[in-house]
Amino acid sequence: MTKHRNNKEHAILEAARQEFLEKGYDGARTTSIARNAGVTHAMLHYYFKTKEDLFCSIFVDFIAQIGKNLTSLFEDSQKPFVELIENAMSMHFDFISENPKVPLFIIREIWSRPERIEMLRQSISSTVGGLLASAQQAMDVAKNNGEINSDIDAITLFIDILALNVFPSLFLPIYNTALSQDGEKPFLEKRKQENLKLILNRLTPQSK
C-alpha cells in the first residue's frame, strides 16, 4: 500500500513539475496534471488538497535540488578549498544546464506573486543555511592558510556563482535564435569553463 501510494504521489509530482515549468502557476491545470500522471482528478486532490499545496511541494523541491549534495562537499576538509569550489560550481552548473527552465520558473513566480518571497526565504533557510555555514567555515580555514583571498565571504561568493551559472540558461533562447554558431552543448561547456576561471581568479591571491 505504501509503495503504491509513493508511486502515485511520485507520478503526480513529476507531472506537476512539467506543468508548472511549462505554464507557470496561473496557467497550470490540475486536470491536466492528473491526466498526465495517470490518476483521477479526485485522486490527485486526495494526495494534494489544493493546487497551491501541489505548487508549494514543487517549488520547495526545486530549491532543495539546487542545494542538494553541496553541503557534503564543504564538509570534506581533506580537499583544498579551491577544489571544493570547482566541484560545487560544476555540480551546480550541470544541474542548471539539465534543468534550464527552473531558474526562470522561480524568478517568474517570485515577480508575479511577491507573497512567495516568504516561501523562498524559508526554503533557503532550511536548505542553504547549512551550506553557507559549512562553506564559510571552510573559507576561514583556507584564508588562514593563505589559499584564498581574505576579502570575500561565503554569501558574496555564492551570489557570484549563482549569477554566473544561472545566466547562460536564461540567455540560451537568444543565443540559439540569434547568435548560435557552434551549438548549445559547446556554448554551455565554454560558459562553464569561463565561470570556473572567473571565480578561481577571484579567489586566488595575486602575487605582489
Side-chain angles (χ1 to χ4, degrees), residues 105-121:
F105 166 79
I106 294 173
I107 293 169
R108 180 178 60 211
E109 295 303 326
I110 291 296
W111 277 103
S112 63
R113 294 173 179 267
E115 64 271 20
R116 302 248 189 250
I117 292 177
E118 178 59 23
M119 188 195 309
L120 179 66
R121 187 193 67 77

Side-chain angles (χ1 to χ4, degrees), residues 149-206:
N149 289 318
S150 60
D151 64 339
I152 187 171
D153 55 38
I155 293 179
T156 300
L157 177 61
F158 273 73
I159 290 174
D160 289 345
I161 291 174
L162 188 65
L164 286 169
N165 281 355
V166 167
F167 178 76
S169 69
L170 301 179
F171 182 72
L172 197 55
I174 298 174
Y175 177 82
N176 283 336
T177 56
L179 302 173
S180 181
Q181 296 178 353
D182 302 320
E184 182 174 312
K185 288 185 178 180
F187 167 74
L188 290 174
E189 183 57 34
K190 184 174 182 180
R191 291 316 314 164
K192 180 179 179 179
Q193 297 307 317
E194 286 293 320
N195 292 355
L196 284 168
K197 187 185 302 182
L198 286 168
I199 291 298
L200 296 183
N201 286 342
R202 173 67 180 89
L203 288 173
T204 304
Q206 301 298 314

Side-chain angles (χ1 to χ4, degrees), residues 74-93:
F74 292 101
E75 291 174 347
D76 188 352
S77 58
Q78 302 303 312
K79 292 183 178 179
F81 182 77
V82 170
E83 184 177 344
L84 297 180
I85 286 296
E86 287 188 81
N87 292 338
M89 278 196 70
S90 294
M91 184 182 294
H92 181 258
F93 189 95

